[in-house]
Amino acid sequence: MLKILTVFGTRPEAIKMAPLVKELSRHPEHVNCVVAVTAQHREMLDQVLRLFAICPRYDLNIMRPKQSLFEITQRALAGLEEVIGRERPDLVLVHGDTTTTFAAALAAFYFQIPVGHVEAGLRTRNKYSPFPEEINRHLTAVLADLHFAPTATAKKNLLAEGVALEKIFVTGNTVIDALLATVRDNYCFHNPRLDSIDYAGKKVLLVTTHRRENLGGPLRSVYKALRAVHRAYPEVEIVFPVHKNPAVAQAAHEELGDLERVHLIPPLDYEPFVNLMQRSYVVLTDSGGLQEEAPALGKPVLVLRDTTERPEAVEAGTVRVIGTDQEVVAAEIRRLLEDREHYRQMAEAVNPYGDGRASQRICRAILHHYGILREPPEEYEPGLKKFR
Ligand code: UD1
Ligand code: UDP
């Protein structure tokens, strides 16, 4: 029997680990699956735990208002020392690139317990962009023993850093497992504000922002661009579920709070959120996960960052990395509103990130690694079809 401790702390980690926790729990004859959350996020994590009905055995409850990177790291590390010391698992699974991810990998290493890294190998090669995620991923890769790369590009990145071939599994991204289980054609929001929008007659711009390196001037500049677009195009509705970070909320409300067709709403549960994405015209975001989800739904994405670690959809033409300059952001949105051919080309759905079976592959890879299954999983290969 393998004891596997899965550790996560923020909304996106929870969304992307939930399908894997479910999959591991389907093998009780081989796997004892224990979940610990740092709760680096509180409300935004709880939304996901509720939706996927995950009950963590440990909840470190570390979140504080306006927490610093130092605080998150210290509090996560101290709490995880206790959890890992008590559980002594055979394997610790972490996801992606948050400070929880790095702290959990480091804590496991201090106990000399192997680490499995889900969503391994994403790189921008720019130390400060995204900050601190690029370095969190590097540090986690150095500490990891098993690397679950979502794409062939991610595998190539890891090989270039000297990771041994047999420790890398190309699995697809578990975010697509979650997405496929959640998007529905006949979805009803049960939210008067979202239900009141005329999705067929209007053009809905879905906006999310939260990156640390964008706080302050860059976000203000993006919001000013949205304001200008809103004024010029009466057919535009802007739906902006605002991240809980007070620095984001304050700037968003100051720059956009007085506009009638701008809906500044609290973070949505994952289910309404992805169903809203499915009905949107364009997605504007500095998020990582949205760059994977929106292309699978055939939605053009404008990335409000200078770099991306997810080049696959950029290469396919569905995602454009446009930065945060006010004039550029406004011009890029205008082009998508006015140039039908440009819109059509970007909305050609591509799906380079998964086929809904990433969790199965990761689970198989683990069972294979520990000698329980003879065969490793087959590698994920992208099909270029959209889901709907
Ligand atoms: C964190 C991750 C980032 C990830 C993002 C997903 C780090 C350093 N950053 O960034 O990689 O992309 O999550 O959203 O790991 N807050 C609440 N309630 C919540 C969540 C956040 O009030 O449920 C507020 C708190 O004041 C908190 C602040 O938001 O201090 C920032 O949260 P934090 O986890 O430090 O950073 P994020 O920008 O959310
Ligand atoms: N998301 C959500 N509700 C929202 C906004 C986003 O459930 O109001 C989901 C989204 O579908 C994606 C994930 O949260 O799966 C992205 O999280 P975030 O942007 O916070 O982090 P990142 O992906 O940048 O690490």
Side-chain angles (χ1 to χ4, degrees):
M1 184 66 123
L2 272 178
K3 186 190 270 190
I4 300 182
L5 177 69
T6 301
V7 183
F8 49 89
T10 66
R11 169 174 67 190
E13 291 166 78
I15 290 167
K16 291 170 164 184
M17 282 304 226
L20 180 56
V21 168
K22 296 283 170 207
E23 182 61 30
L24 292 170
S25 307
R26 276 185 207 114
H27 299 271
E29 70 287 14
H30 299 307
V31 176
N32 174 8
C33 175
V34 179
V35 174
V37 294
T38 62
Q40 174 180 332
H41 284 173
R42 185 68 275 169
E43 305 91 316
M44 286 162 56
L45 172 74
D46 292 341
Q47 287 180 302
V48 185
L49 295 177
R50 255 195 321 271
L51 174 67
F52 290 98
I54 292 175
C55 295
R57 186 174 298 171
Y58 299 94
D59 186 330
L60 303 179
N61 199 25
I62 69 167
M63 194 193 85
R64 294 292 177 274
K66 300 189 180 178
Q67 57 204 359
S68 73
L69 296 175
F70 297 92
E71 285 176 280
I72 307 171
T73 311
Q74 286 166 14
R75 294 167 66 84
L77 207 50
L80 288 167
E81 179 181 6
E82 271 197 60
V83 171
I84 300 176
R86 185 174 316 165
E87 289 290 340
R88 299 274 167 179
D90 299 295
L91 177 69
V92 172
L93 286 179
V94 299
H95 180 278
D97 55 19
T98 72
T99 295
T100 287
T101 313
F102 164 57
L106 184 62
F109 167 68
Y110 284 163
F111 282 105
Q112 301 190 14
I113 290 173
V115 175
H117 188 198
V118 180
E119 199 183 84
L122 277 61
R123 297 289 184 268
T124 62
R125 309 277 175 217
N126 180 332
K127 187 173 175 180
Y128 294 109
S129 177
F131 174 81
E133 290 83 5
E134 176 69 6
I135 290 303
N136 282 345
R137 314 190 252 261
H138 275 274
L139 296 171
T140 305
V142 171
L143 296 165
D145 301 272
L146 294 173
H147 307 256
F148 305 109
T151 65
T153 308
K155 175 179 177 177
K156 223 184 288 164
N157 290 338
L158 291 166
L159 289 173
E161 290 167 18
V163 177
L165 180 65
E166 66 274 14
K167 294 191 171 173
I168 309 173
F169 299 87
V170 179
T171 61
N173 197 309
T174 55
V175 78
I176 304 295
D177 303 11
L179 184 72
L180 275 182
T182 313
V183 172
R184 286 199 298 281
D185 283 334
N186 54 358
Y187 185 78
C188 175
F189 291 108
H190 299 297
N191 171 329
R193 193 137 189 202
L194 295 180
D195 282 328
S196 72
I197 295 172
D198 170 12
Y199 294 93
K202 298 278 188 169
K203 289 182 172 162
V204 172
L205 312 187
L206 176 61
V207 179
T208 78
T209 58
H210 71 79
R211 293 249 84 82
R212 261 184 161 73
E213 67 272 20
N214 277 349
L215 299 179
L219 284 192
R220 298 257 174 196
S221 153
V222 168
Y223 301 158
K224 285 186 165 58
L226 290 174
R227 207 180 164 87
V229 168
H230 169 274
R231 194 173 41 235
Y233 297 90
E235 73 273 30
V236 159
E237 297 265 343
I238 298 176
V239 184
F240 183 173
V242 183
H243 191 285
K244 283 275 181 191
N245 187 336
V248 176
Q250 189 184 343
H253 283 276
E254 283 175 13
E255 300 289 346
L256 297 165
D258 59 327
L259 302 178
E260 199 193 320
R261 285 172 285 110
V262 177
H263 308 272
L264 299 180
I265 56 177
L268 285 167
D269 282 1
Y270 182 65
E271 196 174 43
F273 183 78
V274 290
N275 281 287
L276 174 64
M277 196 185 320
Q278 161 77 354
R279 288 169 206 201
S280 300
Y281 184 74
V282 171
V283 175
L284 284 113
T285 190
D286 61 10
S287 159
L290 269 73
Q291 294 177 57
E292 296 152 346
E293 294 162 336
L297 298 176
K299 303 296 168 184
V301 186
L302 298 176
V303 176
L304 306 163
R305 295 168 45 177
D306 298 327
T307 58
T308 186
E309 58 292 271
R310 293 165 168 91
E312 295 86 352
V314 176
E315 282 154 19
T318 306
V319 170
R320 284 170 68 81
V321 180
I322 63 169
T324 53
D325 179 83
Q326 185 179 336
E327 296 307 321
V328 175
V329 173
E332 289 284 344
I333 303 173
R334 250 186 260 121
R335 194 169 165 210
L336 278 167
L337 290 169
E338 288 179 7
D339 183 342
R340 288 171 73 95
E341 182 52 22
H342 176 61
Y343 182 87
R344 197 193 57 74
Q345 280 177 10
M346 280 191 77
E348 287 274 290
V350 294
N351 173 27
Y353 295 115
D355 59 1
R357 295 195 297 123
S359 308
Q360 274 177 35
R361 290 193 187 87
I362 294 168
C363 185
R364 277 195 80 87
I366 293 169
L367 295 179
H368 169 71
H369 178 79
Y370 285 95
I372 296 166
L373 286 183
R374 275 244 315 254
E375 297 299 324
E378 88 291 7
E379 285 209 337
Y380 162 68
E381 283 187 28
L384 290 181
K385 274 198 330 309
K386 72 168 176 170
F387 293 126
R388 20 196 87 241

